[in-house]
């Protein structure tokens, strides 16, 4: 593999997990945030997660310490200029992501591979914004990154074959099973998962059921680890709404992409899920109250 140094942009729910698994796998990792507070919070989460893995005897203390030693934080995008791979995990907003890729295209070395963790936007548009479409892939990790085994590797018609192969090898080297995906809305998993989550909300809006009953039904009846409402709280209601709004704007005729009113109302009220302590359910730290 040519990848040695990995830049991660965004140290939120997904970025902190991606930075952590890369550092655990032996890569030198630099993670960039837009402000000190989210950077400190994200790095703190990595420390807590590593401690948990040590406590559960999934990692030794030595490996956890060595992983932390390979990880640095920065507020300067220019510090990522010499990275071999940059994985972007900032908020789900195509205009903000495109601005970022335009800057990355100007400052990174020519061979840097760009990988977006977007849940829903066209990878090709970010490649075009970077000015280096051949270097662009999607690396779509799943939440929580430390535990979920899948990574979707998304190639666009412009993606260079060697870049795709290298990105796939990176996914494997951080312990994930790569699945090839085309640059279509939601790739494989979210194209099925997000309309299912929205349908569950519509069921509750119609008064057919309650979030607790729907979740019990899908957990106990189908063996899902979480029902759709707990899962939406876990993913973030803001992120789920951004996904649906983005698709609805592009495909207004498709009824499965219409954002449910109940989701819009909760986001407007600041009830974003586990990260704010309330979404469809109340949360105490990482656990359902
Ligand atoms: N790091 C280290 N340890 C962690 C951790 C982390 N990030 N997150 C959880 N753990 C630990 C917990 O602390 C817990 O330890 P204890 O047993 O000591 O308490 C252990 O892992 C198990 O966690 P939980 O108690 O929460 O129990 P669980 O058995 O429900 O497992 C889960 C958690 C793996 C997340 C499981 O519930 C699950 O698979 N849920 C579904 C998640 C899912 O579908 N994710 C995909 C979301 S969609 C997406 O990501 C794509 C998108 O673009 C939106
Ligand atoms: P989040 O809100 O938890 O984290 C985003 C972070 O990006 C924040 O900490 C924010 O401060 C930071 N940020 C914003 N602009 C930035 C910039 N220009 N430079 C550096 N940092 C910046 O969001 P998240 O849930 O981690 O989602 C991140 C991406 O991953 C999104 O594209 C999302 O769709 C995708 N994703 C999310 C999930 C999920 O379950 N939440 C799963 C897979 C993929």
């Amino acid at each position: 593999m040519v990848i040695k140094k990995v830049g991660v942009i965004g140290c939120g729910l997904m970025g902190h997990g991606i930075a952590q698994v890369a550092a655990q796998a032996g890569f030198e990792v630099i993670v960039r945030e837009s402000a000190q507070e989210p950077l400190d919070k994200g790095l703190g989460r990595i420390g807590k997660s590593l401690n948990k893995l040590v406590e559960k005897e999934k990692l030794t203390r030595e490996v956890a310490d060595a992983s932390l030693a390979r990880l640095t934080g920065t507020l300067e995008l220019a510090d990522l200029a010499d990275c071999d791979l940059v994985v972007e995990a900032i908020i789900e907003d195509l205009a903000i992501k495109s601005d970022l890729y335009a800057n990355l295209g100007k400052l990174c070395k020519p061979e840097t591979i760009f990988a977006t963790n977007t849940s829903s936007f066209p990878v090709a548009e970010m490649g075009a914004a970077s000015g280096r479409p051949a270097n662009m892939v999607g690396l779509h990790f799943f939440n929580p990154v430390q535990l979920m085994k899948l990574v979707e590797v998304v190639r666009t018609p412009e993606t260079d074959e060697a870049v795709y192969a290298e990105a796939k090898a990176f996914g494997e080297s951080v312990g994930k099973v790569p699945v090839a995906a085309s640059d279509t809305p939601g790739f494989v998993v979210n194209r099925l998962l997000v309309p299912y989550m929205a349908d569950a909300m519509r069921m509750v809006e119609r008064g057919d059921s309650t979030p607790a009953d729907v979740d019990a039904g899908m957990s106990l009846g189908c063996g899902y680890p979480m029902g759709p409402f707990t899962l939406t709280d876990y993913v973030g209601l803001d992120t789920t709404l951004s996904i649906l709004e983005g698709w609805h704007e592009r495909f207004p005729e498709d009824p499965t992409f219409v954002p449910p009113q109940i989701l819009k109302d909760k986001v407007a009220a600041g009830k974003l899920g586990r990260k704010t302590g309330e979404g469809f359910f109340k949360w105490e730290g990482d656990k359902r109250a």
Side-chain angles (χ1 to χ4, degrees), residues 9-15 32-34 38 88-92 96-97 100 117-119 140-143 234-236 238-239 243 275:
I9 309 185
C11 199
L13 211 53
M14 297 304 291
R32 190 257 177 167
E33 254 294 349
S34 48
E88 165 271 313
I90 68 167
I91 48 170
E92 191 71 348
I96 297 176
K97 285 187 194 279
L100 177 67
N117 188 51
T118 184
S119 299
H140 185 221
F141 290 90
F142 289 77
N143 178 20
Y234 213 77
V235 164
D238 50 344
T239 303
I243 295 169
K275 60 185 161 189

